[in-house]
Amino acid sequence: ARYVLATGDSGVLDEQVAFLEGRPVPVGEDSYYDLPQQSQETASLYQHCTRAILRGLTLLSPRGLPLMGAGDWNDGMNLVGIHGKGESIWLGFFLYDVLLRFSEVARWQGDLPFVEQCREQADRLRQNIREHGWDGAWYRRAYFDDGTPLGSASNVECQIDSISQSWAVLSGGGDGARTRLAMESLDARLVRWDKGLIQLLDPPFDTSEL
């Protein structure tokens, strides 16, 4: 989306690209290493994108938040949603950004039904994050399979995670007042001026059960 909107080169969306084929991930496992084969089926790059987005929209919790699975961005959090019920607040912001950006691409393609679908889903996702993602002074990172929040003041470790605060701003999906407070919390809790660094999260994971 960013490439097309920045360059105006919408022709790339008409390029025909093959799919990859691989065996389903076995039940009870979260991944496997294998060499996928090229499928005989092809589709335009635009169709690849829409199918990926539609697939992503099927992986939502009953509260309408993206499922964490065996990790979203941080593969060190592979056990947060390993049983298929954990939710990712950060991934909600990311998906919100994807939906809005790609709605503009779909408009260029004249695909008005998909424009409307992307925008409706983005609005719904933003509301779900507003309802379930806020911790009082910053945005939570995720929820474990059992519903325990992660990136919350109630946690012993990882009370605040920088990526949720950052993407509340980057995506535009955060509430204005909350976003400002979240970034103030990030500045107070995670920016280490004396060390010249910004922590990903704090306190670090060490001994807690989760």
Side-chain angles (χ1 to χ4, degrees):
R2 187 168 300 196
Y3 170 80
V4 170
L5 296 175
T7 66
D9 176 19
S10 60
V12 69
L13 298 170
D14 299 323
E15 291 290 328
Q16 293 294 307
V17 188
F19 290 89
L20 295 178
E21 289 183 347
R23 58 190 173 89
V25 178
V27 175
E29 298 182 23
D30 60 293
S31 63
Y32 66 79
Y33 289 93
D34 209 344
L35 184 63
Q37 303 299 310
Q38 184 166 296
S39 170
Q40 294 300 308
E41 182 184 359
T42 64
S44 69
L45 179 58
Y46 179 77
Q47 291 171 318
H48 276 265
C49 293
T50 57
R51 286 173 64 160
I53 290 171
L54 291 172
R55 172 62 178 163
L57 291 173
T58 68
L59 303 174
L60 301 177
S61 73
R63 296 194 291 188
L65 296 172
L67 294 174
M68 184 82 168
D72 46 20
W73 168 80
N74 188 340
D75 55 5
M77 295 184 174
N78 60 304
L79 299 182
V80 174
I82 196 68
H83 299 299
K85 295 181 179 179
E87 303 160 296
S88 172
I89 303 301
W90 165 73
L91 192 56
F93 285 128
F94 183 81
L95 180 55
Y96 176 84
D97 187 58
V98 168
L99 288 166
L100 288 189
R101 288 181 184 275
F102 203 80
S103 71
E104 293 304 311
V105 174
R107 189 180 304 280
W108 279 31
Q109 291 294 99
D111 190 354
L112 297 185
F114 200 68
V115 172
E116 190 66 24
Q117 185 174 7
C118 285
R119 293 198 165 273
E120 286 179 358
Q121 291 288 344
D123 289 343
R124 190 173 297 125
L125 189 56
R126 189 172 192 263
Q127 181 57 41
N128 293 338
I129 294 171
R130 177 176 175 78
E131 185 174 349
H132 303 294
W134 185 244
D135 196 60
W138 56 79
Y139 286 98
R140 294 173 176 173
R141 175 64 172 81
Y143 287 93
F144 288 87
D145 285 309
D146 67 358
T148 301
L150 175 63
S152 167
S154 64
N155 296 130
V156 175
E157 299 171 0
C158 190
Q159 293 176 346
I160 180 171
D161 191 311
S162 65
I163 197 171
S164 294
Q165 322 320 316
S166 301
W167 273 84
V169 176
L170 292 170
S171 68
D175 174 86
R178 287 181 174 182
T179 298
R180 286 190 292 274
L181 180 56
M183 293 306 291
E184 289 171 3
S185 297
L186 183 152
D187 185 58
R189 298 283 303 266
L190 298 176
V191 178
R192 299 280 301 278
W193 293 103
D194 59 324
K195 303 294 183 183
L197 59 84
I198 301 175
Q199 294 171 250
L200 290 178
L201 54 88
D202 190 70
F205 292 107
D206 184 17
T207 60
S208 72
E209 288 292 320
L210 297 175

